[in-house]
Amino acid sequence: MTETQTSASPFAVGTELPAASFPITRKDLVRYAGASGDFNDIHWNGRFAVGVGLPDVIAHGMYTMAVAGRVLTDWIGDPAAVEEYFVRFSKPVVVPDDGVGALVEVTGKVTKALDGGRVQVDLTVVSTGQKVLGKAIAVVRIP
């Protein structure tokens, strides 16, 4: 551990990041589609999504990844401090057209002290009790 990563440090191995929950609605998906240019019907058209074998409309994987990344940027206070961010998409976030949508819940923990004043943070990202991002790992430069 470096001097800034002592066991009393808010960046010490074992430190848990503040958990957060993020609602995702169909409106969010339409906005994201416009920003990203990804207008695939599975992200907004329930009839089409069901027709191709999905339970309903699903959130864009990259949108889910970005929402989960907010836990990192809120914790560290500087989006540029997130030097690496990797996820494996394991389950889709199903977003029903019920006026409520889906809820993505994110927790994180510092799991490794790295050289150069950086730490590894592992995220756990779930929706409806299922892990939707597997192996969600970030490298964060600490202040």
Side-chain angles (χ1 to χ4, degrees):
M1 269 192 233
T2 67
E3 186 176 308
T4 58
Q5 295 168 310
T6 64
S7 59
S9 167
F11 308 107
V13 172
T15 299
E16 293 187 12
L17 281 62
S21 297
F22 302 98
I24 299 177
T25 65
R26 295 272 179 104
K27 185 184 266 187
D28 295 323
L29 300 183
V30 170
R31 288 179 177 145
Y32 181 81
S36 69
D38 182 354
F39 291 100
N40 188 318
D41 289 25
I42 64 173
H43 301 305
W44 62 270
N45 184 328
R47 187 176 59 246
F48 182 84
V50 169
V52 297
L54 294 168
D56 205 337
V57 163
I58 62 170
H60 304 75
M62 295 302 289
Y63 181 71
T64 304
M65 182 180 179
V67 165
R70 287 179 52 194
V71 167
L72 296 166
T73 58
D74 289 350
W75 172 67
I76 201 67
D78 177 9
V82 179
E83 294 184 349
E84 298 176 28
Y85 184 31
F86 169 86
V87 305
R88 180 173 294 135
F89 302 105
S90 53
K91 299 256 186 220
V93 174
V94 179
V95 183
D97 189 17
D98 60 1
V100 176
L103 190 65
V104 172
E105 299 170 286
V106 186
T107 58
K109 185 183 232 180
V110 176
T111 56
K112 258 187 219 177
L114 304 170
D115 62 343
R118 302 174 310 144
V119 294
Q120 177 177 310
V121 176
D122 293 0
L123 297 177
T124 301
V125 184
V126 300
S127 183
T128 63
Q130 293 192 327
K131 206 172 194 183
V132 295
L133 297 180
K135 197 173 181 177
I137 299 170
V139 172
V140 179
R141 180 180 24 81
I142 59 175

